[in-house]
Amino acid sequence: MLTCRLQLPPQPLLKPPSIAQQTTKDGGLLFRQKLIYLQSLNINPHKALNLNPSLRSTPISSIRSLEHSLSSFGLSRPSIGRILDMYPILLTSDPLPPINFLLHEVPLPFPHLPLSLSRCPRLLLSSVTTQLRPTLCFLTSLGLVLNSHTTLLLVSNVENTLKPKINFLRSLGFDEPEVNRMVVRSPGLLTLSIENNMRPKFKFFLEEMKGDLEELNRFPQYFSFSLEKKIKPRQRALVEHGFKLPLSKMLKVSDGEFNARLIEMRLQRVQRR
C-alpha cells in the first residue's frame, strides 16, 4: 500500500517584538493616558499641545505633581483645570516662585490665595524679578495695600499702564497726595482705559454735571460706573426735575432705590409749597 506524504513548506519562525517596537507601543499608551488625564481636568489637549509643544514630552507624573501642588494651596480641581486650560504653558512651568512671592512679599494671607489666583491666573506666569516685585514697589509707593481683589494689578506694566493713569489724574488738577488717596480709595482706577473710560467720564462730569474736583476727590469711584447705563440716565433724570445729588448718593444705590429717592424728593418739594 502506497502512502503519500505531503511536504509542507517550512513555517517562518515568529520573532518577539523588538525593543524599539515595544517602546513605541508603550510611549503611545502613555501619551493617550496623558491626553485622558488632561481631559479629566477639562483641559483641551489639542489646544494645550498647540500652545505648549513641550507638553508632548512631559511625563504624566509631572502634570499630576503640578495639580497636587496647586491643590495644596487651596485651589479646587475645577479651578485648576480652568486655569491650566486658559494658560497651557503652566503645564510645564513652576508655579512656586510667584506663589511664594504672593504669600511672603505682598504678603497675602494664605486663605486669600485661591481667590487671587482664580481672579488673575497670569500671576502664575509672571516673573518675580522683572514683573511682580517692581510693580509691587510702585503700588506700595502710592500707599496701596494689596488684597485678593487687587493683586491683579501686579501683572500691569508700570511704565506703559500704571504711570500713564497716575499722570492723567494729575493732569486733571489733583496733586500727588490727592491722586494717591484716590487710588487707595478706588484701586480699580488703575484698571480703566484713559481714552475709552476716564477721559469721556471726566468730560461729562465737567461739562454736563458742572462738577468740581473736590467731589471727584471724595468719590473717585465715579469713574468705575457706566457712563451710558448709569451716569448719564441718572444725571438727566435729576436735571429734568431740577435736583442735584452728591455723586455717592446718585450712583451707589440700585435703580429701584434711585427712583424711590427721586419720587421722595418730588413729594417733599410739593409738600413744601
Side-chain angles (χ1 to χ4, degrees):
M1 183 176 177
L2 296 175
T3 32
C4 294
R5 294 185 179 178
L6 294 176
Q7 190 76 17
L8 295 175
Q11 296 296 317
L13 295 174
L14 294 176
K15 296 181 179 179
S18 67
I19 295 175
Q21 289 174 326
Q22 189 65 40
T23 302
T24 302
K25 182 178 178 182
D26 291 345
L29 178 61
L30 292 174
F31 186 73
R32 284 194 296 273
Q33 288 177 345
K34 180 162 59 180
L35 297 184
I36 292 170
Y37 181 72
L38 291 174
Q39 289 174 326
S40 75
L41 283 167
N42 285 324
I43 298 170
N44 183 328
H46 302 293
K47 169 187 166 185
L49 289 166
N50 285 334
L51 295 177
N52 186 359
S54 60
L55 177 62
R56 187 172 295 274
S57 58
T58 301
I60 192 172
S61 59
S62 296
I63 305 174
R64 287 198 176 104
S65 176
L66 174 65
E67 182 193 355
H68 177 74
S69 176
L70 293 175
S71 176
S72 71
F73 290 107
L75 283 167
S76 66
R77 198 164 199 262
S79 294
I80 293 171
R82 181 181 63 83
I83 289 170
L84 296 179
D85 186 62
M86 287 172 63
Y87 298 102
I89 195 69
L90 283 170
L91 287 160
T92 54
S93 302
D94 181 6
L96 292 182
I99 287 176
N100 285 331
F101 172 83
L102 290 171
L103 290 175
H104 303 297
E105 295 192 42
V106 170
L108 199 64
F110 185 87
H112 297 180
L113 183 65
L115 178 58
S116 175
L117 297 177
S118 295
R119 285 173 60 87
C120 185
R122 280 178 58 200
L123 288 164
L124 293 169
L125 291 170
S126 301
S127 164
V128 171
T129 54
T130 62
Q131 174 62 45
L132 299 179
R133 192 172 289 129
T135 309
L136 177 64
C137 289
F138 176 76
L139 294 172
T140 52
S141 74
L142 301 175
L144 263 177
V145 177
L146 298 184
N147 56 41
S148 57
H149 294 280
T150 53
T151 45
L152 57 84
L153 293 172
L154 290 169
V155 302
S156 302
N157 184 281
V158 172
E159 297 298 328
N160 299 329
T161 303
L162 299 177
K163 283 187 177 179
K165 291 167 186 178
I166 296 296
N167 293 336
F168 173 75
L169 292 171
R170 292 285 302 275
S171 74
L172 302 183
F174 299 108
D175 61 27
E176 184 177 343
E178 287 174 330
V179 169
N180 291 355
R181 284 194 296 270
M182 291 171 72
V183 169
V184 168
R185 201 174 296 128
S186 183
L189 290 173
L190 297 177
T191 67
L192 303 176
S193 162
I194 293 174
E195 297 304 325
N196 298 329
N197 195 311
M198 300 172 79
R199 195 182 300 281
K201 287 177 182 176
F202 182 72
K203 182 180 179 182
F204 184 80
F205 175 77
L206 214 58
E207 297 178 1
E208 301 292 331
M209 300 178 69
K210 311 300 180 187
D212 61 75
L213 291 182
E214 185 53 38
E215 192 168 12
L216 274 184
N217 192 11
R218 290 193 301 268
F219 191 70
Q221 295 92 331
Y222 163 82
F223 288 105
S224 300
F225 291 93
S226 168
L227 181 61
E228 298 299 328
K229 294 181 180 179
K230 185 160 284 189
I231 298 173
K232 283 184 177 181
R234 294 192 179 185
Q235 170 63 13
R236 287 166 182 166
L238 291 170
V239 169
E240 182 183 347
H241 295 97
F243 297 125
K244 186 173 177 62
L245 283 174
L247 287 176
S248 59
K249 291 185 177 179
M250 169 184 164
L251 296 172
K252 286 178 72 174
V253 296
S254 66
D255 288 341
E257 290 172 310
F258 175 79
N259 291 330
R261 183 169 292 172
L262 193 60
I263 293 171
E264 183 182 350
M265 289 191 297
R266 291 172 65 188
L267 289 173
Q268 288 174 350
R269 184 168 59 187
V270 170
Q271 290 171 357
R272 285 196 298 266
R273 288 176 181 173

Coordinates of all heavy atoms in Angstrom, one line a residue, residues 198-270:
M198 N -11.9 106.9 31.3 CA -11.7 108.1 32.2 C -11.9 109.4 31.6 O -12.6 110.3 32.1 CB -10.3 107.9 32.9 CG -10.1 106.6 33.6 SD -8.4 106.4 34.2 CE -8.4 107.5 35.6
R199 N -11.4 109.6 30.4 CA -11.5 110.9 29.8 C -12.9 111.3 29.4 O -13.4 112.4 29.8 CB -10.6 111.0 28.5 CG -10.4 112.4 28.0 CD -9.5 112.4 26.7 NE -8.2 111.8 26.9 CZ -7.2 112.4 27.4 NH1 -7.3 113.7 27.9 NH2 -6.0 111.8 27.5
P200 N -13.7 110.4 28.8 CA -15.1 110.8 28.5 C -15.9 111.0 29.7 O -16.8 111.9 29.7 CB -15.6 109.7 27.6 CG -14.7 108.5 27.8 CD -13.3 109.1 28.1
K201 N -15.7 110.3 30.8 CA -16.4 110.4 32.0 C -16.1 111.8 32.7 O -16.9 112.5 33.2 CB -16.2 109.3 33.0 CG -16.9 108.0 32.6 CD -16.5 106.8 33.5 CE -17.2 105.5 33.0 NZ -16.8 104.4 33.8
F202 N -14.8 112.1 32.6 CA -14.4 113.4 33.2 C -15.0 114.6 32.4 O -15.5 115.6 33.0 CB -12.9 113.5 33.3 CG -12.4 114.8 33.9 CD1 -12.5 115.0 35.3 CD2 -11.9 115.8 33.1 CE1 -12.1 116.2 35.9 CE2 -11.5 117.0 33.7 CZ -11.6 117.2 35.1
K203 N -15.0 114.4 31.1 CA -15.6 115.5 30.3 C -17.1 115.7 30.6 O -17.6 116.8 30.7 CB -15.4 115.1 28.8 CG -16.0 116.2 27.8 CD -15.7 115.8 26.4 CE -16.3 116.8 25.5 NZ -16.2 116.4 24.0
F204 N -17.8 114.6 30.8 CA -19.2 114.7 31.1 C -19.4 115.3 32.5 O -20.3 116.1 32.7 CB -19.9 113.3 31.1 CG -21.3 113.3 31.3 CD1 -22.2 113.6 30.3 CD2 -21.9 113.0 32.6 CE1 -23.6 113.6 30.5 CE2 -23.2 113.0 32.8 CZ -24.1 113.3 31.8
F205 N -18.6 114.9 33.4 CA -18.7 115.4 34.8 C -18.5 116.9 34.8 O -19.2 117.7 35.5 CB -17.6 114.7 35.6 CG -17.5 115.3 37.0 CD1 -18.5 114.9 38.0 CD2 -16.5 116.1 37.4 CE1 -18.4 115.4 39.3 CE2 -16.4 116.6 38.7 CZ -17.3 116.3 39.6
L206 N -17.5 117.4 34.0 CA -17.2 118.8 34.0 C -18.2 119.6 33.2 O -18.6 120.7 33.7 CB -15.8 119.0 33.4 CG -14.9 120.1 33.9 CD1 -14.7 119.9 35.4 CD2 -13.5 120.1 33.2
E207 N -18.5 119.1 32.0 CA -19.4 119.9 31.1 C -20.9 119.8 31.4 O -21.6 120.8 31.3 CB -19.0 119.6 29.7 CG -17.6 119.9 29.3 CD -17.2 119.5 27.9 OE1 -18.2 119.0 27.2 OE2 -16.1 119.7 27.4
E208 N -21.3 118.6 31.6 CA -22.7 118.3 31.8 C -23.2 118.4 33.2 O -24.3 118.9 33.5 CB -23.1 117.0 31.2 CG -22.8 116.8 29.7 CD -23.7 117.7 28.8 OE1 -24.8 118.0 29.2 OE2 -23.2 118.1 27.8
M209 N -22.4 117.9 34.1 CA -22.8 117.9 35.5 C -22.3 119.1 36.3 O -22.7 119.4 37.4 CB -22.2 116.6 36.2 CG -22.7 115.4 35.5 SD -22.0 113.8 36.3 CE -22.8 113.9 37.9
K210 N -21.4 119.9 35.6 CA -20.9 121.1 36.3 C -20.3 120.8 37.6 O -20.4 121.5 38.6 CB -22.0 122.2 36.4 CG -22.8 122.5 35.2 CD -21.9 123.0 34.1 CE -22.8 123.3 32.8 NZ -22.0 123.6 31.6
G211 N -19.6 119.7 37.7 CA -19.0 119.2 38.9 C -17.7 119.9 39.2 O -17.1 120.6 38.4
D212 N -17.2 119.7 40.5 CA -15.9 120.3 40.8 C -15.0 119.1 41.3 O -15.4 118.1 41.7 CB -16.1 121.3 41.9 CG -16.7 120.7 43.2 OD1 -15.9 120.0 43.9 OD2 -17.9 121.0 43.5
L213 N -13.7 119.4 41.2 CA -12.7 118.4 41.5 C -12.8 117.8 42.9 O -12.5 116.7 43.1 CB -11.3 119.0 41.3 CG -10.9 119.3 39.9 CD1 -9.5 119.8 39.8 CD2 -11.0 118.1 39.0
E214 N -13.2 118.7 43.9 CA -13.3 118.2 45.2 C -14.3 117.0 45.4 O -14.1 116.1 46.2 CB -13.7 119.3 46.2 CG -13.7 119.0 47.6 CD -12.4 118.4 48.1 OE1 -11.3 118.8 47.6 OE2 -12.4 117.4 48.9
E215 N -15.3 117.1 44.6 CA -16.3 116.0 44.7 C -15.7 114.7 44.1 O -16.0 113.6 44.6 CB -17.6 116.4 43.9 CG -18.7 115.4 44.2 CD -20.1 115.9 43.7 OE1 -20.1 116.9 42.9 OE2 -21.1 115.3 44.1
L216 N -15.0 114.8 43.0 CA -14.3 113.6 42.5 C -13.2 113.1 43.5 O -13.0 111.9 43.6 CB -13.6 113.9 41.1 CG -14.5 113.8 39.9 CD1 -13.6 114.1 38.7 CD2 -15.1 112.5 39.8
N217 N -12.6 114.0 44.1 CA -11.6 113.7 45.1 C -12.2 112.8 46.3 O -11.7 111.9 46.7 CB -11.0 114.9 45.7 CG -9.7 114.6 46.5 OD1 -9.2 113.5 46.5 ND2 -9.3 115.6 47.3
R218 N -13.4 113.2 46.6 CA -14.2 112.5 47.7 C -14.7 111.2 47.2 O -14.8 110.2 48.0 CB -15.3 113.4 48.3 CG -14.9 114.5 49.1 CD -16.0 115.1 49.8 NE -17.1 115.6 49.0 CZ -17.3 116.8 48.5 NH1 -16.4 117.7 48.7 NH2 -18.3 117.1 47.7
F219 N -15.1 111.1 45.9 CA -15.7 109.9 45.4 C -15.1 109.5 44.0 O -15.7 109.6 43.0 CB -17.2 110.1 45.2 CG -18.0 108.9 44.9 CD1 -18.2 107.9 45.9 CD2 -18.6 108.7 43.7 CE1 -18.9 106.8 45.6 CE2 -19.3 107.5 43.4 CZ -19.5 106.6 44.4
P220 N -13.8 109.0 44.1 CA -13.2 108.6 42.8 C -13.8 107.4 42.2 O -13.6 107.1 41.0 CB -11.7 108.3 43.2 CG -11.9 108.0 44.7 CD -13.0 108.8 45.2
Q221 N -14.7 106.7 42.9 CA -15.4 105.5 42.4 C -16.3 105.9 41.2 O -16.8 105.1 40.5 CB -16.2 104.8 43.4 CG -15.4 104.2 44.6 CD -15.2 105.2 45.7 OE1 -15.2 106.4 45.5 NE2 -15.1 104.7 46.9
Y222 N -16.5 107.2 41.1 CA -17.3 107.7 39.9 C -16.9 107.1 38.6 O -17.7 106.7 37.8 CB -17.2 109.3 39.9 CG -17.7 109.9 38.6 CD1 -19.0 110.1 38.3 CD2 -16.7 110.2 37.6 CE1 -19.4 110.7 37.1 CE2 -17.1 110.8 36.4 CZ -18.5 111.0 36.1 OH -18.9 111.5 34.9
F223 N -15.5 107.0 38.4 CA -15.0 106.5 37.2 C -15.3 105.1 36.9 O -15.2 104.6 35.8 CB -13.5 106.7 37.1 CG -13.1 108.2 37.0 CD1 -12.6 108.9 38.1 CD2 -13.1 108.8 35.8 CE1 -12.2 110.2 38.0 CE2 -12.7 110.1 35.6 CZ -12.3 110.8 36.7
S224 N -15.7 104.3 37.9 CA -16.0 102.9 37.8 C -17.4 102.6 37.3 O -17.7 101.5 36.9 CB -15.7 102.2 39.1 OG -14.4 102.4 39.5
F225 N -18.3 103.6 37.3 CA -19.7 103.4 36.9 C -19.8 103.6 35.4 O -19.1 104.4 34.8 CB -20.6 104.3 37.7 CG -20.7 104.0 39.1 CD1 -19.9 104.6 40.1 CD2 -21.6 103.0 39.6 CE1 -20.0 104.3 41.4 CE2 -21.8 102.7 40.9 CZ -20.9 103.3 41.8
S226 N -20.8 102.9 34.8 CA -21.0 103.0 33.4 C -21.5 104.4 33.0 O -22.5 104.9 33.6 CB -22.0 101.9 32.9 OG -22.4 102.2 31.6
L227 N -20.9 105.0 32.0 CA -21.3 106.4 31.6 C -22.7 106.3 31.0 O -23.6 107.1 31.3 CB -20.3 107.0 30.7 CG -20.6 108.4 30.1 CD1 -20.7 109.4 31.3 CD2 -19.5 108.8 29.1
E228 N -22.9 105.4 30.1 CA -24.1 105.3 29.3 C -25.3 104.7 30.1 O -26.4 105.1 29.9 CB -23.9 104.5 28.0 CG -22.9 105.1 27.0 CD -23.3 106.5 26.6 OE1 -24.5 106.8 26.4 OE2 -22.4 107.4 26.4
K229 N -25.0 103.7 30.9 CA -26.1 102.9 31.6 C -26.5 103.5 32.9 O -27.6 103.3 33.4 CB -25.7 101.5 31.7 CG -25.5 100.7 30.4 CD -25.1 99.3 30.6 CE -25.0 98.5 29.3 NZ -24.6 97.1 29.5
K230 N -25.5 104.3 33.5 CA -25.9 104.7 34.9 C -25.7 106.2 35.1 O -26.6 106.9 35.5 CB -25.1 104.0 35.9 CG -25.4 104.3 37.4 CD -25.0 103.3 38.3 CE -25.9 102.1 38.3 NZ -25.6 101.1 39.4
I231 N -24.5 106.8 34.7 CA -24.2 108.2 35.0 C -25.1 109.1 34.2 O -25.8 110.0 34.8 CB -22.7 108.5 34.7 CG1 -21.8 107.7 35.6 CG2 -22.5 110.0 34.9 CD1 -20.3 107.8 35.3
K232 N -25.2 108.9 32.9 CA -26.0 109.8 32.0 C -27.5 109.7 32.4 O -28.1 110.8 32.6 CB -25.7 109.5 30.6 CG -24.4 110.1 30.0 CD -24.3 109.8 28.5 CE -23.0 110.5 28.0 NZ -22.9 110.2 26.5
P233 N -28.1 108.5 32.4 CA -29.5 108.5 32.7 C -29.9 109.1 34.1 O -30.9 109.8 34.2 CB -29.8 107.0 32.7 CG -28.7 106.4 31.9 CD -27.5 107.2 32.2
R234 N -29.1 108.9 35.1 CA -29.4 109.4 36.4 C -29.2 110.9 36.5 O -30.0 111.6 37.1 CB -28.6 108.7 37.5 CG -29.0 107.2 37.6 CD -28.4 106.6 38.8 NE -28.9 105.2 38.9 CZ -28.6 104.3 39.9 NH1 -27.9 104.8 40.9 NH2 -29.1 103.1 39.9
Q235 N -28.2 111.4 35.8 CA -27.9 112.8 35.8 C -29.1 113.5 35.1 O -29.6 114.6 35.5 CB -26.6 113.1 35.2 CG -26.4 114.6 34.9 CD -26.3 115.5 36.1 OE1 -26.2 115.0 37.2 NE2 -26.4 116.8 35.9
R236 N -29.5 113.0 34.0 CA -30.6 113.6 33.2 C -31.9 113.5 33.9 O -32.7 114.5 33.8 CB -30.7 112.9 31.8 CG -29.5 113.3 30.9 CD -29.4 112.5 29.7 NE -28.2 112.9 28.9 CZ -27.6 112.2 28.0 NH1 -28.1 111.0 27.6 NH2 -26.6 112.7 27.3
A237 N -32.2 112.5 34.7 CA -33.4 112.4 35.5 C -33.4 113.5 36.6 O -34.4 114.1 36.9 CB -33.5 111.0 36.1
L238 N -32.2 113.7 37.2 CA -32.1 114.7 38.2 C -32.3 116.1 37.6 O -33.1 116.9 38.2 CB -30.8 114.6 38.9 CG -30.5 113.4 39.8 CD1 -29.1 113.3 40.2 CD2 -31.4 113.5 41.0
V239 N -31.7 116.4 36.5 CA -31.8 117.7 35.8 C -33.2 117.9 35.4 O -33.8 119.0 35.5 CB -30.9 117.7 34.6 CG1 -31.1 119.0 33.8 CG2 -29.4 117.7 35.1
E240 N -33.9 116.9 34.9 CA -35.3 117.0 34.4 C -36.2 117.5 35.6 O -37.1 118.3 35.3 CB -35.8 115.7 33.9 CG -37.2 115.7 33.4 CD -37.7 114.3 32.9 OE1 -36.8 113.4 32.8 OE2 -38.9 114.2 32.7
H241 N -35.9 117.1 36.8 CA -36.8 117.5 37.9 C -36.1 118.6 38.8 O -36.7 118.9 39.8 CB -37.1 116.3 38.8 CG -37.9 115.3 38.0 ND1 -37.4 114.2 37.4 CD2 -39.3 115.2 37.8 CE1 -38.3 113.4 36.9 NE2 -39.5 114.0 37.1
G242 N -35.0 119.1 38.3 CA -34.4 120.2 39.0 C -33.7 119.8 40.3 O -33.6 120.6 41.2
F243 N -33.2 118.6 40.4 CA -32.5 118.2 41.6 C -31.0 117.9 41.3 O -30.5 117.8 40.2 CB -33.1 116.8 42.1 CG -34.5 116.9 42.5 CD1 -35.5 116.1 41.9 CD2 -34.9 117.9 43.4 CE1 -36.8 116.2 42.3 CE2 -36.3 118.0 43.8 CZ -37.2 117.1 43.2
K244 N -30.3 117.9 42.4 CA -28.8 117.5 42.4 C -28.5 116.7 43.6 O -29.0 116.9 44.7 CB -28.0 118.8 42.4 CG -26.5 118.6 42.2 CD -25.8 119.9 42.1 CE -24.2 119.7 41.9 NZ -23.9 118.9 40.7
L245 N -27.7 115.7 43.4 CA -27.3 114.8 44.5 C -25.8 114.6 44.5 O -25.2 114.7 43.4 CB -27.9 113.4 44.3 CG -29.4 113.1 44.6 CD1 -29.8 111.7 44.2 CD2 -29.6 113.4 46.1
P246 N -25.2 114.4 45.6 CA -23.8 114.0 45.7 C -23.5 112.8 44.8 O -24.4 111.9 44.7 CB -23.5 113.8 47.1 CG -24.6 114.5 47.9 CD -25.8 114.4 47.0
L247 N -22.3 112.7 44.3 CA -22.1 111.5 43.4 C -22.3 110.2 44.1 O -22.9 109.3 43.5 CB -20.6 111.6 43.0 CG -20.2 112.7 41.9 CD1 -18.7 112.6 41.7 CD2 -21.0 112.5 40.6
S248 N -21.9 110.1 45.3 CA -22.1 108.8 46.0 C -23.6 108.4 46.1 O -24.0 107.3 45.9 CB -21.4 108.8 47.4 OG -22.0 109.8 48.2
K249 N -24.4 109.4 46.5 CA -25.9 109.1 46.6 C -26.5 108.9 45.3 O -27.5 108.2 45.2 CB -26.5 110.2 47.4 CG -26.1 110.3 48.9 CD -26.9 111.4 49.6 CE -26.5 111.4 51.1 NZ -27.2 112.4 51.8
M250 N -26.0 109.5 44.3 CA -26.5 109.4 42.9 C -26.2 108.0 42.3 O -27.0 107.4 41.6 CB -26.0 110.5 42.0 CG -26.2 110.3 40.6 SD -25.4 111.7 39.7 CE -25.4 111.0 38.0
L251 N -25.0 107.4 42.6 CA -24.5 106.3 41.9 C -24.5 105.0 42.6 O -24.6 103.9 42.1 CB -23.1 106.6 41.3 CG -23.1 107.7 40.3 CD1 -21.6 108.1 39.9 CD2 -23.9 107.4 39.0
K252 N -24.3 105.0 44.0 CA -24.1 103.8 44.7 C -25.3 103.0 44.9 O -25.2 101.8 45.2 CB -23.5 104.1 46.1 CG -22.0 104.5 46.0 CD -21.4 104.9 47.3 CE -21.2 103.7 48.2 NZ -20.5 104.0 49.5
V253 N -26.5 103.6 44.8 CA -27.7 102.8 45.0 C -28.2 102.1 43.8 O -27.8 102.4 42.7 CB -28.9 103.8 45.5 CG1 -28.5 104.4 46.9 CG2 -29.1 104.9 44.5
S254 N -29.1 101.2 44.0 CA -29.7 100.4 42.8 C -30.7 101.3 42.1 O -31.0 102.4 42.5 CB -30.4 99.2 43.3 OG -31.6 99.6 44.1
D255 N -31.1 100.9 40.9 CA -32.1 101.7 40.1 C -33.4 101.9 40.9 O -33.9 103.0 40.9 CB -32.4 100.9 38.8 CG -31.2 101.0 37.8 OD1 -30.3 101.9 38.0 OD2 -31.2 100.2 36.9
G256 N -33.8 100.8 41.6 CA -35.0 101.0 42.4 C -34.9 102.0 43.5 O -35.8 102.8 43.7
E257 N -33.8 101.9 44.2 CA -33.5 102.9 45.3 C -33.4 104.3 44.7 O -33.9 105.3 45.3 CB -32.3 102.5 46.1 CG -32.5 101.2 46.9 CD -31.1 100.8 47.5 OE1 -30.2 100.7 46.7 OE2 -31.1 100.5 48.7
F258 N -32.8 104.5 43.6 CA -32.6 105.8 43.0 C -34.0 106.4 42.6 O -34.3 107.5 42.9 CB -31.7 105.7 41.8 CG -31.6 107.0 41.0 CD1 -30.8 108.0 41.5 CD2 -32.3 107.3 39.9 CE1 -30.7 109.3 40.8 CE2 -32.2 108.5 39.2 CZ -31.4 109.5 39.7
N259 N -34.8 105.6 42.0 CA -36.1 106.0 41.6 C -37.0 106.4 42.8 O -37.7 107.4 42.8 CB -36.8 105.0 40.7 CG -36.2 104.8 39.3 OD1 -35.6 105.8 38.8 ND2 -36.2 103.6 38.8
A260 N -36.9 105.6 43.8 CA -37.6 105.8 45.1 C -37.2 107.2 45.7 O -38.0 107.9 46.2 CB -37.4 104.7 46.1
R261 N -35.9 107.4 45.7 CA -35.3 108.6 46.2 C -35.8 109.8 45.4 O -36.1 110.9 45.9 CB -33.8 108.6 46.2 CG -33.1 109.8 46.8 CD -31.6 109.5 47.0 NE -31.4 108.5 48.1 CZ -30.3 108.0 48.4 NH1 -29.2 108.4 47.7 NH2 -30.1 107.1 49.4
L262 N -35.9 109.7 44.1 CA -36.3 110.7 43.2 C -37.8 111.1 43.5 O -38.2 112.3 43.6 CB -36.2 110.3 41.7 CG -36.3 111.4 40.7 CD1 -35.3 112.5 40.9 CD2 -36.1 110.7 39.3
I263 N -38.6 110.0 43.7 CA -40.0 110.3 44.0 C -40.2 110.9 45.3 O -41.0 111.9 45.5 CB -40.8 108.9 44.0 CG1 -40.9 108.4 42.6 CG2 -42.2 109.1 44.6 CD1 -41.4 107.0 42.5
E264 N -39.4 110.5 46.3 CA -39.4 111.1 47.6 C -39.1 112.6 47.6 O -39.7 113.4 48.2 CB -38.5 110.4 48.6 CG -38.5 110.9 50.0 CD -37.5 110.1 50.9 OE1 -36.9 109.1 50.4 OE2 -37.2 110.6 52.0
M265 N -38.0 113.0 46.8 CA -37.6 114.4 46.7 C -38.7 115.2 46.0 O -39.0 116.3 46.4 CB -36.3 114.5 45.9 CG -35.1 114.0 46.7 SD -33.5 114.4 45.9 CE -33.7 113.5 44.3
R266 N -39.4 114.6 45.1 CA -40.5 115.3 44.4 C -41.7 115.6 45.3 O -42.3 116.6 45.4 CB -41.0 114.5 43.2 CG -39.9 114.5 42.0 CD -40.3 113.5 40.9 NE -41.5 114.0 40.3 CZ -42.2 113.3 39.4 NH1 -41.8 112.1 39.0 NH2 -43.3 113.8 38.8
L267 N -42.0 114.5 46.2 CA -43.1 114.7 47.1 C -42.7 115.8 48.2 O -43.6 116.6 48.6 CB -43.4 113.4 47.8 CG -44.0 112.3 46.9 CD1 -44.1 111.0 47.7 CD2 -45.4 112.7 46.5
Q268 N -41.5 115.7 48.6 CA -41.1 116.7 49.6 C -41.1 118.1 49.1 O -41.5 119.1 49.8 CB -39.6 116.4 50.1 CG -39.5 115.2 51.0 CD -38.0 114.9 51.3 OE1 -37.1 115.4 50.7 NE2 -37.8 113.9 52.2
R269 N -40.9 118.3 47.8 CA -40.9 119.6 47.2 C -42.4 120.1 47.1 O -42.7 121.2 47.4 CB -40.3 119.6 45.8 CG -40.2 121.0 45.1 CD -39.4 121.0 43.9 NE -39.8 120.0 42.9 CZ -39.1 119.8 41.8 NH1 -38.0 120.4 41.6 NH2 -39.6 118.9 41.0
V270 N -43.3 119.1 46.8 CA -44.7 119.5 46.7 C -45.2 119.9 48.1 O -46.0 120.9 48.3 CB -45.5 118.3 46.2 CG1 -47.0 118.6 46.3 CG2 -45.2 118.1 44.7

